[in-house]
Amino acid sequence: MGAFWLEVRRSPLRWWFPFLVVVDLAVLFGRARWWIGVWPQASVAAQIPAFYFGPALAAVSAWTAGRTSRHGLVDQLGASARPRWQAECVQLAATLCYGILVYLVGAVVAASVSFPSAGPGFLWPGYLLLGLSLLVICSATGHLVGSWARSQILAPVLTGVGCLAAITLLGSGSGFFALVGEPFLSVQVVPILLRILLSLAVASAAVMVSRSSVPGFRQKRRAPRALQVLGTLLAVMVAGFAVAAAGPLTSPRTPPKAATCSDTQPRICLWPEDRKYTSQADVMARNLAALPAGLFVVPPVFYERGLRPGRQLEDFYIGEGSMWEAAESISINIITETLPRGCQPRSPAAAQKYYTAAFELSTWLSVRMTGGGQPASVRGGPPGVDRAAVAVVATQPEPTQTAWVRDRLSTVRNTDCG
């Protein structure tokens, strides 16, 4: 422990710690803030800084690991009473100590700002452990490269850039970091544990195969030493194959016994984790109830995705904190219930008129539900629809809007279907 605290006091990260905390908070709040108040989303937001800290720790770890060879202390380390890998382990642990501390600061802040609106619950540990495993893998990789490199500048730069490039190219589909924490998906225990085991195996390989440890092969006990090194490398390979074979990181959750629903008719039901959107759901439901009678067939209940297993495509999804996407999905369900089923227009011209009118109706319903047009943060939309013009229609007097809706309904109902 004395050697460990000495490494902590000598680490270059002691000067960079305040800056890294600022970077953590900048990433946490600068990327988005819609995650506040939703525990799975807040957990992912707290994990995302690992995407940036991982390469930074790799560079610092490479610099620290190269200190022994830069100062010509490899032989002196070999003559020490302790095994060489223990000294390497102390160096790596000191670097990880700073990185994990910064990471935990971000997690505490994410939890603190979410408490007022999130209700019961807490950060999901699976996502936090995912970011932690990424930090360990990057730091260990930097330590291994730095212990063998002869350049005190090139090794940290290449290691940091290389880790960042690898993370970027692999993307979130690799399962080593997440960008969104949907409440209808839970983090599986086995894949997370395997990623932790892989990170520990990489860290073991980094300290056992470092440059100051390998000279042990020339000693009398080189056979046991070789077995140790080969064992750690084999453990990395086995853990890597196990992670790949374990399948996806997340799986559908079991729906709760009681969803969080609006008090109005029709009802809009949410996952308990998304309870902060209840007030918006109430407004949308009241706006649906206020639609002119006799125009649409409105289902009595609308569900957030995952509350009804096997019917995910029919239910709405809250995209990046915006209820607009949920309103679009609800409006499509209403149009589907209202219009004739299985209509296939006989000609391209008829198909264009049919789908344009249907898309205009769904867009109008979305505007009426949310009380405004499509947010600027939401990209795309139904093809062939002038969304700004439809938003203007939604501001007209009720008789004008009703006439506009009846005209579109007449178009789709009088289409010559096959």
Side-chain angles (χ1 to χ4, degrees):
M1 290 303 298
F4 169 75
W5 289 117
L6 179 62
E7 287 291 340
V8 168
R9 292 194 297 269
R10 296 179 60 189
S11 174
L13 284 173
R14 69 190 188 279
W15 305 112
W16 289 93
F17 182 80
F19 174 75
L20 291 177
V21 171
V22 172
V23 171
D24 188 309
L25 299 181
V27 173
L28 191 63
F29 294 104
R31 175 176 172 268
R33 299 190 182 185
W34 50 264
W35 53 266
I36 297 175
V38 182
W39 286 123
Q41 302 286 13
S43 304
V44 169
Q47 165 261 173
I48 285 179
F51 180 95
Y52 302 93
F53 290 152
L57 287 182
V60 174
S61 189
W63 171 271
T64 304
R67 187 177 58 210
T68 302
S69 59
R70 286 198 305 270
H71 295 288
L73 299 177
V74 175
D75 293 334
Q76 293 183 20
L77 188 60
S80 63
R82 294 281 185 174
R84 297 180 180 184
W85 65 267
Q86 291 187 8
E88 300 291 335
C89 187
V90 166
Q91 283 188 336
L92 179 59
T95 301
L96 282 173
C97 178
Y98 282 102
I100 293 173
L101 186 58
V102 174
Y103 184 64
L104 291 179
V105 168
V108 170
V109 172
S112 300
V113 298
S114 291
F115 264 119
S117 57
F122 196 63
L123 298 175
W124 290 15
Y127 287 119
L128 298 181
L129 291 174
L130 181 66
L132 184 61
S133 64
L134 182 62
L135 292 180
V136 174
I137 290 174
C138 289
S139 299
T141 303
H143 184 90
L144 179 61
V145 174
S147 67
W148 283 95
R150 297 187 177 276
S151 172
Q152 58 181 333
I153 300 297
L154 194 60
V157 172
L158 291 182
T159 307
V161 173
C163 282
L164 180 61
I167 295 172
T168 304
L169 291 176
L170 290 175
S172 58
S174 64
F176 281 96
F177 68 93
L179 295 176
V180 181
E182 294 92 344
F184 55 87
L185 295 176
S186 62
V187 182
Q188 299 188 79
V189 175
V190 173
I192 280 293
L193 291 179
L194 289 175
R195 281 160 176 78
I196 295 174
L197 289 176
L198 175 61
S199 66
L200 295 177
V202 174
S204 298
V207 299
M208 298 297 290
V209 192
S210 63
R211 185 179 179 187
S212 63
S213 298
V214 169
F217 285 129
R218 296 193 295 268
Q219 297 176 352
K220 294 181 180 180
R221 301 182 61 185
R222 57 184 178 273
R225 182 73 183 127
L227 291 177
Q228 291 176 355
V229 173
L230 292 176
T232 57
L233 295 178
L234 181 61
V236 172
M237 295 178 60
V238 171
F241 282 121
V243 168
L249 181 68
T250 57
S251 63
R253 291 177 65 194
T254 301
K257 294 181 179 179
T260 302
C261 300
S262 61
D263 298 326
T264 55
Q265 189 68 26
R267 291 190 302 154
I268 298 179
C269 294
L270 309 166
W271 279 88
E273 286 78 7
D274 280 337
R275 61 173 56 87
K276 82 167 189 175
Y277 300 108
T278 303
S279 59
Q280 297 180 53
D282 284 335
V283 172
M284 291 168 58
R286 292 192 186 95
N287 290 338
L288 281 178
L291 290 174
L295 294 179
F296 300 99
V297 177
V298 181
V301 186
F302 298 95
Y303 295 92
E304 187 178 2
R305 185 178 299 175
L307 289 175
R308 299 189 297 174
R311 306 182 68 175
Q312 287 88 343
L313 297 180
E314 302 175 31
D315 297 334
F316 67 85
Y317 173 77
I318 301 175
E320 297 188 353
S322 173
M323 290 295 285
W324 174 263
E325 191 167 344
E328 285 186 316
S329 180
I330 291 173
S331 67
I332 291 174
N333 284 338
I334 294 174
I335 295 299
T336 301
E337 294 293 327
T338 302
L339 302 185
R341 293 181 179 274
C343 179
Q344 297 294 330
R346 292 184 181 275
S347 66
Q352 182 176 359
K353 291 179 61 179
Y354 178 90
Y355 289 112
T356 298
F359 288 146
E360 286 179 338
L361 287 171
S362 66
T363 303
W364 178 82
L365 281 171
S366 299
V367 174
R368 285 288 297 249
M369 267 188 285
T370 58
Q374 179 172 313
S377 59
V378 178
R379 306 282 183 180
V385 176
D386 187 342
R387 296 182 293 278
V390 174
V392 171
V393 171
T395 63
Q396 301 299 314
E398 197 70 22
T400 303
Q401 294 187 56
T402 301
W404 183 90
V405 169
R406 291 187 184 278
D407 177 69
R408 269 66 184 173
L409 288 173
S410 176
T411 297
V412 295
R413 285 171 176 163
N414 294 327
T415 298
D416 185 13
C417 298

